[in-house]
Amino acid sequence: MRRLTRKKALTLVKELDAFPKVPESYVESTASGGTVSLIAFTVMAVLAFLEFFVYRNTWMKYEYEVDKDFSSKLKINVDITVAMRCQYIGADVLDLAETMVASDGLKYEPVNFELSPQQRLWQMTLLHIQERLRVEHSLQDLLFKAAIKGSPPMLTADLFILHRSIPHPRGHAHLAALVSHDSFNFSHRIDHLSFGEAIPGIISPLDGTEKVSADSNHMFQYFITIVPTKLNTYKVSAETHQYSVTEQERVINHAAGSHGVSGIFMKYDISSLMVKVTETHMPLWQFLIRLCGIIGGIFSTTGMIHSLVGFLVDVICCRFQMGIYKPLNVSIHFCFIQPVV
């Protein structure tokens, strides 16, 4: 009874076979079919190889949400060189109520404002990267992927470094001179300016910016909009800040109606939106589905193309030459019989 049950089960399974096998005696191998098969296997191998590289690659996913963090403190990282002596410079950070938030913790180092050939080459390279970032936005994804967890290297050409944690509300930072206006020279170079946790490999919009002024009474203004950013990649996970900047500069001349105070002013405003940047990877199941689609699609497409081309060749080159479709010449003879009177 068990054997009969198994035979019935096998018979039922065979009847449900959706892929019937064609006997080999009914299959005819041709040179054209072998050529098409060889081309199909080659294309499948190439596309599968390229698809594997796509599977290994990662991309950045951007998500936006409201920033609900009101208690954290914002860290400002400044590395700037000014063409004046250190004892003539004063720097501080104020909030919107003009309350001084940070004035100590600044490191002043006397250096030469002019760069060496190697430093100038590095600055020109940095400016070129900044220019390409404004055009090719996808380059920012590469910088995020290349970010490294750790402290950034310190530069040697610094007039002063501001590395300070300040409260989160909006405010501004400025540099002011402590000497007479005849000695003013606010020509400066921003080697680095970032907010939040400093991440090596991330290039900020003002990095490498250099401003040279021929006038002693000059005002430089930077209006900065800061966007809180959570960065999660396979190399680093950090909470940092991106920013956009608008620059303005003018000569202070009270006689001409251009009023103000000489100096370098950076006014920052924090956005209420937060950006989450996450490095994502293609799942394995999606890769397998895409691979099956490639193989099945090529098999079906090449089979249909081969059948269509074979049919056209058979019709055009064979049947018309053999005269199958030539019209028959039929001659009809009419016989008229006249009656005899």
Side-chain angles (χ1 to χ4, degrees):
M1 294 296 293
R2 292 183 179 179
R3 292 181 180 179
L4 293 176
T5 305
R6 290 179 181 178
K7 288 182 180 181
K8 290 181 180 180
L10 292 176
T11 304
L12 180 61
V13 171
K14 289 181 179 180
E15 292 178 355
L16 296 176
D17 187 8
F19 306 97
K21 308 300 184 294
V22 180
E24 294 184 0
S25 59
Y26 296 161
V27 178
E28 181 181 1
S29 300
T30 60
S32 61
T35 304
V36 173
S37 299
L38 182 60
I39 295 174
F41 288 134
T42 304
V43 173
M44 280 189 292
V46 172
L47 293 182
F49 185 72
L50 296 178
E51 188 66 24
F52 177 71
F53 279 98
V54 175
Y55 170 71
R56 291 185 57 189
N57 192 22
T58 59
W59 60 89
M60 308 307 295
K61 180 181 178 182
Y62 293 84
E63 298 176 333
Y64 304 91
E65 63 181 32
V66 178
D67 185 16
K68 301 178 181 179
D69 188 5
F70 300 101
S71 59
S72 64
K73 293 186 177 182
L74 179 65
K75 182 184 293 184
I76 302 179
N77 310 298
V78 179
D79 186 356
I80 184 172
T81 304
V82 184
M84 279 196 294
R85 294 186 177 182
C86 299
Q87 59 267 28
Y88 298 154
I89 296 292
D92 52 32
V93 180
L94 308 177
D95 59 11
L96 287 181
E98 299 297 332
T99 303
M100 184 176 297
V101 179
S103 60
D104 54 353
L106 306 181
K107 182 180 179 182
Y108 296 85
E109 296 180 5
V111 295
N112 188 5
F113 185 75
E114 298 297 330
L115 296 177
S116 64
Q118 293 181 349
Q119 292 173 334
R120 180 62 65 180
L121 179 61
W122 164 248
Q123 187 202 18
M124 296 302 296
T125 304
L126 190 59
L127 292 178
H128 179 69
I129 295 175
Q130 295 280 19
E131 182 180 357
R132 298 308 304 172
L133 282 172
R134 298 186 186 98
V135 180
E136 301 290 342
H137 300 286
S138 59
L139 293 178
Q140 186 64 47
D141 294 347
L142 297 178
L143 295 179
F144 282 144
K145 293 179 184 179
I148 304 173
K149 186 76 172 180
S151 301
M154 301 303 297
L155 302 178
T156 57
D158 300 335
L159 177 74
F160 75 91
I161 300 173
L162 172 60
H163 186 79
R164 179 78 177 178
S165 297
I166 65 173
H168 199 278
R170 302 170 179 84
H172 61 268
H174 72 272
L175 301 176
L178 305 179
V179 294
S180 61
H181 64 85
D182 295 334
S183 303
F184 286 177
N185 187 2
F186 281 103
S187 300
H188 62 281
R189 181 173 53 255
I190 302 176
D191 298 305
H192 179 71
L193 175 64
S194 64
F195 299 87
E197 184 177 354
I199 303 176
I202 301 298
I203 299 178
S204 300
L206 285 177
D207 291 356
T209 301
E210 185 177 40
K211 300 292 183 179
V212 178
S213 174
D215 299 311
S216 58
N217 230 358
H218 210 110
M219 173 189 288
F220 297 92
Q221 292 178 307
Y222 299 93
F223 302 94
I224 301 172
T225 301
I226 304 172
V227 180
T229 304
K230 288 185 178 181
L231 180 62
N232 292 307
T233 65
Y234 292 107
K235 292 183 179 180
V236 61
S237 178
E239 295 186 3
T240 182
H241 295 73
Q242 303 179 83
Y243 66 88
S244 61
V245 60
T246 302
E247 305 176 15
Q248 181 181 1
E249 58 178 277
R250 59 187 176 92
V251 177
I252 302 301
N253 189 351
H254 298 285
S258 178
H259 304 288
V261 180
S262 301
I264 304 171
F265 298 88
M266 299 179 182
K267 297 185 178 181
Y268 60 90
D269 189 7
I270 301 176
S271 174
S272 58
L273 292 179
M274 181 177 62
V275 180
K276 286 186 177 182
V277 184
T278 308
E279 185 177 6
T280 58
H281 186 272
M282 181 187 296
L284 179 60
W285 62 267
Q286 187 175 355
F287 168 70
L288 296 177
I289 291 176
R290 290 168 64 98
L291 201 61
C292 293
I294 290 174
I295 297 174
I298 293 176
F299 260 121
S300 302
T301 305
T302 53
M304 289 187 295
I305 294 176
H306 179 255
S307 300
L308 179 62
V309 173
F311 174 76
L312 295 177
V313 170
D314 188 28
V315 170
I316 296 173
C317 300
C318 299
R319 297 191 178 184
F320 279 98
Q321 291 180 0
M322 295 175 63
I324 297 178
Y325 294 113
K326 290 183 178 180
L328 298 175
N329 295 325
V330 179
S331 59
I332 303 175
H333 301 277
F334 296 95
C335 182
F336 296 96
I337 302 175
Q338 296 180 358
V340 179
V341 180

